Amino acid sequence: MDENGATPDVEDSGLHDKLPISGLYENWFLDYASYVILERAVPAVEDGLKPVQRRIMHALNEMDDGRFNKVANVVGSSMQYHPHGDASIYDAIVNVGQKELLFDTQGNWGDIRTGDSAAAARYIEVRLSRFAKEIVFNDDTTEWQLSYDGRKREPVTLPVKFPLLLSLGVEGIAVGLSTKILPHNFCELIEASISILQGKDITIFPDFLTGGQVDVSNYNDGHRGGKVRVRARIEEEDKKMLVIRDIPFGTTTTSLIDSIIKANDGGKIKIKKVVDNTAAEVEIQVHLAPGVSPDITMDALYAFTECEVSISPNACIIIADKPHFVGVTDILKYNTQQTVHLLQRELEIKRLALLEKILYGSLEKIFIENRIYRDIEECETFEAVIRTIDKGLEPYKSLFYREITDDDIVELTEIRIKRISKYDGFKADEQMRKWQDELTETEDNLANITRFAIDYYKDLLKKYGKGRSRRTEIRAFNQISANIVAANNQKLYVNRAEGFIGYGLKKDEFVMDCSDIDDIIVFKADGKCLVTKVQEKVFVGKDIIHCAVFLKNDERKVYNLVYLDGKTGVSYIKRCQITAVTRDREYDLTQGTPKSKITYFTPNENGEAEIITVNLTAQSKAKVKQFDFNFADLLIKNRSAMGNILTKYPVRKITMKQAGRSTLGGVDMWFDPIIGRLNRDERGEYLGNFGPSDSILVIYKEGSYELTNFDLTNHYESNEVLLVRKFDPTLVLTALYFDNGQKQHFIKRFNIETSSLDKKFLFISDVKNSKLLLASTDKRPRLEIVYPKTAQKEQTSIEYIIEEMVDIRGWRAMGNKLPNDKFKDVRWLAPVPDPVEELPEPTSDENETGVETETVTDHSEETSADTLTENTVILTEATPEENMNEEPDEEDGEEKASSKQKKDNKKGPDSSKSQLGLFE
């Protein structure tokens, strides 16, 4: 409407002159997307900088006078080149400054660990670092372009002679794509570049200013689809407190503490309080609730808080004005070759400059010493002067690397008389020789450019590598099961008759403690079982006979049951495991016929096999109406197996006669020293077969020992632990240590006399700076001591058999002093073999040919595990036709149960690994 309220005519409005909208969105959007990708979000491969960072660096270089500049002034200068607001420029300056590489900073620049922001631009100052001036700028090798308003020039890319992109890292979100390149270690990048130039293969991994630990097993060279897991470094201060020393990259102490409080409020962990003592170093104290395990809490912190984060790299960079997805190794190779190219260009420029200096110096020398300047006194025109000088230089022109031009001659005419009168030929020759030597060196470097580039990188490492060692520890992480480490924050209840379970049924039967992320397994009287997520209240079916927390892949849990087949009336007995299922899907433990039901059921945590008494009905035709059966006579099979026939006659009742022992034997345990954890997956060193009463012996480098249980959640930090072994009460521990109080080395042998679990006992001197050197659990260890060379004798070494020089005493005993305390090195040798006992003569029989044959005893199992005893005459095997449905259900991927029990005669630990030393 116009100002009078009238609606203008469409023809008069000019709308018919507008362009059609079809195609405009597509074209404009593509232009906008290209602009954001190329000019804002994604760095160029040549210098590793986004446009805003490049313009900031150029502005700082233009302003540089050696003094600090207010960041506000730098922002203003950068706006001459960057067509965006001051906020984005300020944020980019702070981001680069916090990485402590290109800028020298002054003032409060914030803290990436705590998340504190930097002060305002008018309060903080910045200047280029010495490193930045050396590797980033060179006007002679820079390609220039006009700034956005055409008033100034700016670099297309900066001639960076260093893998700056990989050192700083970058993150950016463009239209339709993003980039995330993780920062890498300064020294490692230089060493990798040197290796590339030497033709060696390289592998580089991220390194973060925040420290911590990183698992790079799935880094995938920084390609899309890769992933790294970063953890905080958590130390166990004591049994009541954990201390977080480093935080993961991308988090702050504030966000990490908030995540811990949230996990505690949600019941995932149980802590009393969190105290942030971060100052120069990160220190977050996590005080544990009474009775809470520090090891389990540590795992829970990794599972439920920001103490562990996953980062997905996505190396996207601009190459030839187009985005490309590449690996960090390819980026480093490109940067290395670019550095070689830039160094070559600089050498060529230097060579040309030296040639020009030598040429002009030679011209000047000829012009003055041959007094050519006197020949121009009678010339009347400037042209005649040029020709006269050119004629005087004619005999020498063949000595120069290029033709002499009129411009060169003009420069000679500009030499002042005063300079001619004071010309010193000797000094001129000295200068010429210096230039010539530089030229020779430059040409040699050009001819050996790879060697020169390697020396260049080594020089960078020498000048700037101090204090830039790796901060993030590379190590493998174990996979933490959230269900195992989650705190029990709920209580599970069941209403058996109505078929409800959940933690909201507080008036019904209490089952057990659980967490709100647990799965629950339910067994019903009709033989059905299912696994479901724990909820406040959920219907699972009537007539519940058992429910409990379900642990996936728990091969120790065995279910013993008897069921009645509704079709035949036959009672079957079986033992089965349930290790993997599909959630909320019903599985039938019977044959699935109508009116089938479970008549006896027990869950057994460690594969126990009880003895039951079976009572048949009085009307049955069986002669024996009561008999016992031992579940140990059955094999453990798959849940879908039919089982064995217990009896064909009607059963009145089944009762437990005697509780049984485990038929699974002990648990085979391995120790993985890389991650410092126990496992059952055959990773690392085999420790042995563990029964309920067995324990682990841990020898620490500090000179103490500790007995622990063999729980898979235990932590044994590799940088603190010297030995991890299965504890044997008869084991003799040999230790060599230095007592700082007496300034003497002692050696001792002792048995472990204490039985307390999870308590450290110091077995060396408690004087400060005393230290353990060697420890061994060999029965008869041998020690070699190397003595240094002296004026009287050569270097010697002496072997000692420890049992001949030291008696076994208590763990508190000092031990014996070494015979000679001034040694160069000390190490274990192979232990002394045990004496061989004389064996009795083998019994032999004479065969028909007169040759004696040894009688060999067969130690294999004489009876198969599924062979029935004579006392179970009623028990019969099902016919093959009846067992056709014993194949496991393939849909859930559950493996078949083993056809025979695990054996206990596992191979013991290698004796060569039973001794370690801090010198090794």
Side-chain angles (χ1 to χ4, degrees), residues 630-880:
N630 190 346
F631 271 99
D633 295 332
L634 290 176
L635 286 176
I636 300 171
K637 295 187 177 181
N638 189 273
R639 64 161 185 273
S640 59
M642 178 186 294
N644 293 20
I645 296 175
L646 177 63
T647 179
K648 295 180 180 178
Y649 301 106
V651 176
R652 182 170 62 87
K653 70 174 181 177
I654 302 175
T655 57
M656 181 188 293
K657 180 179 180 180
Q658 179 181 331
R661 295 182 179 181
S662 174
T663 59
L664 299 179
V667 181
D668 291 322
M669 301 296 295
W670 283 261
F671 174 65
D672 188 341
I674 297 176
I675 62 175
R677 302 295 288 268
L678 302 175
N679 68 88
R680 301 175 187 171
D681 306 323
E682 303 186 13
R683 299 193 317 271
E685 180 185 348
Y686 179 66
L687 297 182
N689 189 270
F690 285 75
S693 61
D694 288 329
S695 56
I696 298 281
L697 171 64
V698 186
I699 308 297
Y700 292 96
K701 294 178 181 178
E702 65 185 17
S704 62
Y705 72 82
E706 180 182 22
L707 297 179
T708 72
N709 58 27
F710 51 93
D711 198 309
L712 295 180
T713 59
N714 291 348
H715 290 253
Y716 306 100
E717 292 296 335
S718 56
N719 59 341
E720 299 176 2
V721 170
L722 183 63
L723 286 172
V724 176
R725 294 287 179 270
K726 179 181 179 181
F727 174 60
D728 180 358
T730 64
L731 179 144
V732 177
L733 182 63
T734 306
L736 172 65
Y737 70 95
F738 174 71
D739 181 1
N740 195 45
Q742 301 186 40
K743 306 297 182 184
Q744 286 281 342
H745 288 86
F746 289 84
I747 191 162
K748 60 188 291 186
R749 301 176 70 212
F750 62 95
N751 292 115
I752 305 296
E753 301 168 351
T754 57
S755 58
S756 302
L757 292 181
D758 299 323
K759 183 178 180 181
K760 289 184 178 180
F761 295 90
L762 186 69
F763 59 83
I764 67 171
S765 171
D766 57 0
V767 178
K768 187 178 180 181
N769 294 328
S770 297
K771 59 182 180 180
L772 176 65
L773 302 182
L774 297 175
S776 172
T777 55
D778 284 335
K779 291 182 179 179
R780 307 179 70 193
R782 282 195 307 154
L783 184 71
E784 180 184 33
I785 301 179
V786 180
Y787 295 102
K789 179 180 180 181
T790 63
Q792 291 79 20
K793 59 181 179 178
E794 296 293 325
Q795 176 175 303
T796 58
S797 62
I798 302 177
E799 296 181 12
Y800 295 95
I801 299 177
I802 304 302
E803 64 181 351
E804 296 177 356
M805 59 185 297
V806 183
D807 294 330
I808 298 175
R809 297 179 183 175
W811 66 274
R812 290 189 178 92
M814 288 286 294
N816 295 8
K817 293 181 180 179
L818 283 187
N820 189 339
D821 206 47
K822 296 181 180 180
F823 54 82
K824 180 180 180 181
D825 193 11
V826 59
R827 50 181 172 259
W828 292 122
L829 298 176
V832 178
D834 290 334
V836 179
E837 296 182 3
E838 292 189 4
L839 299 177
E841 291 293 330
T843 59
S844 59
D845 296 320
E846 194 93 1
N847 61 16
E848 294 180 356
T849 60
V851 179
E852 290 187 347
T853 57
E854 239 181 70
T855 302
V856 180
T857 304
D858 184 6
H859 295 285
S860 62
E861 292 181 90
E862 297 181 0
T863 306
S864 175
D866 58 349
T867 302
L868 303 178
T869 64
E870 295 180 356
N871 296 327
T872 56
V873 291
I874 297 178
L875 186 66
T876 59
E877 289 289 325
T879 62

Side-chain angles (χ1 to χ4, degrees), residues 438-716:
E438 288 186 32
L439 178 62
T440 302
E441 181 183 359
T442 302
E443 290 177 339
D444 179 66
N445 290 334
L446 276 169
N448 301 278
I449 188 62
T450 301
R451 182 201 65 196
F452 178 75
I454 291 174
D455 291 340
Y456 169 80
Y457 277 123
K458 289 180 178 178
D459 185 58
L460 283 184
L461 190 61
K462 181 179 179 181
K463 288 195 291 187
Y464 305 108
K466 186 178 180 181
R468 298 187 184 275
S469 57
R470 170 167 283 276
R471 302 191 185 188
T472 306
E473 178 188 0
I474 297 175
R475 62 179 303 175
F477 296 161
N478 60 308
Q479 196 66 40
I480 297 174
S481 175
N483 288 355
I484 294 177
V485 300
N488 290 329
N489 58 344
Q490 299 290 353
K491 296 182 181 298
L492 178 64
Y493 299 90
V494 60
N495 187 323
R496 299 181 185 273
E498 297 181 8
F500 288 95
I501 64 169
Y503 49 78
L505 309 174
K506 300 187 184 300
K507 295 182 180 179
D508 292 306
E509 178 187 346
F510 170 72
V511 179
M512 63 192 306
D513 292 326
C514 66
S515 75
D516 55 9
I517 64 172
D518 278 335
D519 289 326
I520 305 299
I521 189 168
V522 179
F523 296 86
K524 296 179 291 183
D526 60 1
K528 303 289 196 304
C529 75
L530 64 86
V531 173
T532 187
K533 195 77 175 174
V534 66
Q535 302 175 44
E536 186 173 356
K537 181 179 180 181
V538 59
F539 179 75
V540 294
K542 295 184 178 180
D543 296 326
I544 298 171
I545 60 174
H546 176 72
C547 63
V549 172
F550 175 71
L551 297 179
K552 187 177 180 181
N553 297 324
D554 184 2
E555 297 181 352
R556 307 291 296 182
K557 188 73 170 278
V558 177
Y559 301 98
N560 299 340
L561 64 111
V562 178
Y563 71 89
L564 174 69
D565 181 46
K567 181 179 180 181
T568 62
V570 176
S571 291
Y572 290 84
I573 186 168
K574 72 177 190 179
R575 304 178 71 199
C576 65
Q577 295 172 323
I578 301 178
T579 57
V581 296
T582 301
R583 189 182 291 161
D584 296 322
R585 174 185 169 184
E586 282 194 339
Y587 295 88
D588 208 325
L589 302 181
T590 70
Q591 299 176 42
T593 56
K595 297 185 180 180
S596 295
K597 64 179 181 179
I598 294 178
T599 55
Y600 180 85
F601 179 89
T602 57
N604 302 279
E605 296 294 335
N606 201 32
E608 291 83 1
E610 68 270 27
I611 300 175
I612 58 174
T613 298
V614 181
N615 293 278
L616 306 181
T617 60
Q619 296 79 13
S620 67
K621 298 180 181 180
K623 295 180 179 180
V624 180
K625 293 184 171 56
Q626 179 177 328
F627 61 91
D628 295 339
F629 182 76
N630 190 346
F631 271 99
D633 295 332
L634 290 176
L635 286 176
I636 300 171
K637 295 187 177 181
N638 189 273
R639 64 161 185 273
S640 59
M642 178 186 294
N644 293 20
I645 296 175
L646 177 63
T647 179
K648 295 180 180 178
Y649 301 106
V651 176
R652 182 170 62 87
K653 70 174 181 177
I654 302 175
T655 57
M656 181 188 293
K657 180 179 180 180
Q658 179 181 331
R661 295 182 179 181
S662 174
T663 59
L664 299 179
V667 181
D668 291 322
M669 301 296 295
W670 283 261
F671 174 65
D672 188 341
I674 297 176
I675 62 175
R677 302 295 288 268
L678 302 175
N679 68 88
R680 301 175 187 171
D681 306 323
E682 303 186 13
R683 299 193 317 271
E685 180 185 348
Y686 179 66
L687 297 182
N689 189 270
F690 285 75
S693 61
D694 288 329
S695 56
I696 298 281
L697 171 64
V698 186
I699 308 297
Y700 292 96
K701 294 178 181 178
E702 65 185 17
S704 62
Y705 72 82
E706 180 182 22
L707 297 179
T708 72
N709 58 27
F710 51 93
D711 198 309
L712 295 180
T713 59
N714 291 348
H715 290 253
Y716 306 100

